[in-house]
Amino acid sequence: MGVTRGKLIAFEGVDGCGKSTQLRLLADWLRARGADVLTTREPTDGEHGRRIREMARSGERVAPETELAWFVEDRREHVANEIEPALAAGRFVLTDRYYLSSVAYQGARGLDWREILARSEAEFPPPDLAIVVEVPPERALERVRKRVEESGGVAEPVFEEIELQRGVARVFAALDCPYVVRVPGEGPPEAVHERIAELVESRLAL
């Protein structure tokens, strides 16, 4: 018998929603249950991902169409080099952002988010579960700024604008994909994790 295909779980949401923390907690939870887990992120550390991060930190925007093209190129390499091989090997893949981030962010920039979604679903493997961690954009940006101030993190002013984040939240709220689940992200991280673990267990029949 062949290897059972793995599961792809994407964590999505506005900047500062806590998705990175929740990804780590879920990865630990799955590993404790014996799962083989790959954790990854977008933008990646590849050539296109580095270009996106440099742009984000520079504060100098590029055209939304250019921004989208960079993300798509980065995603093509990400899927080919990391996501698809891991899924084929039967592993769980947990990614911190995936194509729904392009749908939401470039949609909030003024592009047609429904068209981005249709093209993405046609080209890339859809996630088995896309967990949108919901936190009000104002609260989420407070978290981002506090993190930068306290830990010396790097700000990304191109994306960390309240009007953009409100637009991103609106697109995430409008998504009607069967694999999308929304989880309230405020409160202790452990409590949020418990909700996510229950969702994953029930939706993926673990």
Side-chain angles (χ1 to χ4, degrees):
M1 293 181 63
V3 175
T4 301
R5 185 170 171 82
K7 301 291 187 184
L8 175 59
I9 301 175
F11 281 79
E12 302 282 8
V14 298
D15 286 28
C17 68
K19 61 186 171 42
S20 302
T21 297
Q22 292 306 321
L23 183 150
R24 177 177 51 79
L25 291 172
L26 184 65
D28 291 344
W29 181 81
L30 286 167
R31 289 179 178 126
R33 296 164 68 97
D36 184 3
V37 181
L38 169 69
T39 62
T40 185
R41 68 174 185 172
E42 293 187 358
T44 70
D45 293 323
E47 176 188 352
H48 300 290
R50 289 196 303 271
R51 180 192 294 169
I52 291 165
R53 291 183 191 283
E54 288 167 5
M55 180 271 295
R57 292 166 183 173
S58 73
E60 297 180 11
R61 285 189 187 182
V62 297
E65 294 82 359
T66 302
E67 195 175 85
L68 177 61
W70 289 358
F71 275 101
V72 170
E73 285 302 317
D74 187 49
R75 187 164 300 122
R76 284 176 179 145
E77 291 185 2
H78 190 207
V79 168
N81 298 336
E82 294 189 61
I83 292 177
E84 194 55 57
L87 292 174
R91 305 177 72 186
F92 275 85
V93 179
L94 274 55
T95 182
D96 185 342
R97 297 203 181 283
Y98 191 41
Y99 63 65
L100 291 182
S101 281
S102 289
V103 172
Y105 278 77
Q106 278 72 65
R109 293 274 199 231
L111 301 185
D112 184 341
W113 66 262
R114 291 176 180 83
E115 181 181 343
I116 299 171
L117 176 61
R119 289 185 177 183
S120 297
E121 289 183 329
E123 179 171 1
F124 302 113
D128 295 277
L129 208 54
I131 299 167
V132 179
V133 182
E134 294 190 318
V135 173
E138 295 81 2
R139 173 69 182 132
L141 275 187
E142 283 177 19
R143 290 181 180 180
V144 171
R145 291 177 183 129
K146 186 175 181 182
R147 184 174 65 216
V148 170
E149 290 169 3
E150 292 182 353
S151 65
V154 180
E156 295 186 342
V158 164
F159 296 115
E160 292 161 7
E161 298 176 346
I162 188 59
E163 288 307 321
L164 173 65
Q165 293 296 323
R166 286 172 179 154
V168 168
R170 284 193 292 271
V171 177
F172 276 131
L175 291 172
D176 186 26
C177 309
Y179 48 81
V180 170
V181 294
R182 296 175 176 86
V183 177
E186 295 202 84
E190 295 76 14
V192 178
H193 164 67
E194 286 179 12
R195 290 194 286 268
I196 289 174
E198 288 173 3
L199 268 171
V200 169
E201 195 167 30
S202 63
R203 290 288 294 260
L204 300 186
L206 300 182

